[in-house]
């Protein structure tokens, strides 16, 4: 029994030791170059997560408004950039795809302005509801305009939490 136990334990130990390294290597293989739009959207994501956490707290309104300004500035950058997925669209549809993307960004920016107004008026209940609705819209828009990648034998969207970089 002892003769069998030691090799099994050593095999498991080696497997657990090298598994994270192999997983990290796999992630590196699927990483696309980061675009300017991707960087801007990453900044939006970081700020948005903080906004969600503190929007209900009236004492954090000044900080939340700074985060809203960060979101707005990065979304405005996005208005002059094109999603990387536009390259995947047929040439005849590419301009419409980009125009639709920019239209969604403009609509989202208008809602962000309303969010800022609610925070300035100390209407945190409305602001919290708006953040929830904007988060839903953000996810839907992200699915529509981000690239879907093929990994091995399965396809997944860039919304999965295992991704470190989102390509737009």
């Amino acid at each position: 029994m002892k003769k069998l136990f030691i090799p099994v334990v050593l095999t498991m130990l080696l497997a657990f030791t090298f598994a994270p390294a192999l997983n990290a290597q796999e992630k590196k293989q699927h990483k696309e170059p980061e675009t300017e739009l991707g960087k801007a959207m990453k900044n939006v994501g970081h700020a948005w997560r903080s906004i969600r956490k503190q929007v209900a707290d009236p004492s954090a309104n000044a900080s939340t408004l700074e985060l809203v300004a960060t979101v707005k500035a990065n979304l405005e950058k996005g208005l002059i950039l094109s999603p990387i997925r536009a390259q995947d669209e047929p040439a005849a549809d590419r301009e419409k795809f980009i125009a639709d993307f920019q239209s969604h960004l403009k609509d989202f920016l208008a809602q962000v302005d309303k969010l800022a107004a609610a925070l300035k008026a100390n209407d945190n209940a409305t602001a919290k509801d708006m953040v929830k609705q904007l988060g839903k819209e953000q996810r839907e828009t992200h699915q529509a305009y981000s690239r879907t990648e093929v990994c091995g034998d399965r396809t997944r969207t860039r919304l999965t939490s295992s991704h470190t970089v989102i390509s737009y």
Side-chain angles (χ1 to χ4, degrees):
M1 181 76 165
K2 286 184 182 180
K3 290 180 183 180
L4 184 62
F5 179 73
I6 292 174
V8 169
V9 169
L10 286 176
T11 303
M12 289 175 59
L13 182 63
L14 287 172
F16 287 120
T17 302
F18 291 109
L22 293 172
N23 190 25
Q25 183 68 22
E26 181 183 325
K27 284 183 181 180
K28 284 182 185 177
Q29 290 173 346
H30 297 294
K31 187 176 179 180
E32 291 183 19
E34 192 167 20
T35 64
E36 285 301 311
L37 182 59
K39 290 176 189 175
M41 292 302 141
K42 184 187 275 187
N43 291 338
V44 168
H46 288 301
W48 196 256
R49 282 187 290 281
S50 297
I51 289 169
R52 277 194 340 247
K53 291 176 186 174
Q54 66 190 44
V55 71
D57 182 8
S59 67
N61 280 1
S63 171
T64 307
L65 282 166
E66 289 176 15
L67 292 166
V68 169
T70 299
V71 167
K72 184 175 178 175
N74 282 284
L75 289 175
E76 287 172 345
K77 280 184 197 176
L79 286 173
I80 60 170
L81 301 169
S82 299
I84 196 167
R85 182 171 166 195
Q87 298 170 0
D88 300 340
E89 295 295 314
D93 299 335
R94 197 169 294 145
E95 282 187 43
K96 182 182 180 327
F97 180 83
I98 293 170
D100 288 346
F101 171 75
Q102 291 169 341
S103 174
H104 278 102
L105 276 185
K106 287 177 185 174
D107 293 345
F108 198 85
L109 272 165
Q111 294 299 316
V112 168
D113 287 338
K114 290 178 183 177
L115 172 62
L119 289 166
K120 287 176 184 173
N122 290 320
D123 188 359
N124 289 73
T126 299
K128 184 178 178 182
D129 291 341
M130 291 179 75
V131 166
K132 186 176 180 180
Q133 180 61 34
L134 285 169
K136 181 181 175 188
E137 290 176 27
Q138 182 184 25
R139 285 186 297 277
E140 290 170 0
T141 302
H142 184 269
Q143 287 177 336
Y145 295 105
S146 64
R147 249 188 188 162
T148 300
E149 73 173 22
V150 176
C151 247
D153 62 345
R154 54 184 236 210
T155 301
R156 60 184 174 206
T157 65
R158 289 266 179 190
L159 288 176
T160 56
S161 61
S162 64
H163 285 61
T164 57
V165 175
I166 298 172
S167 297
Y168 286 88

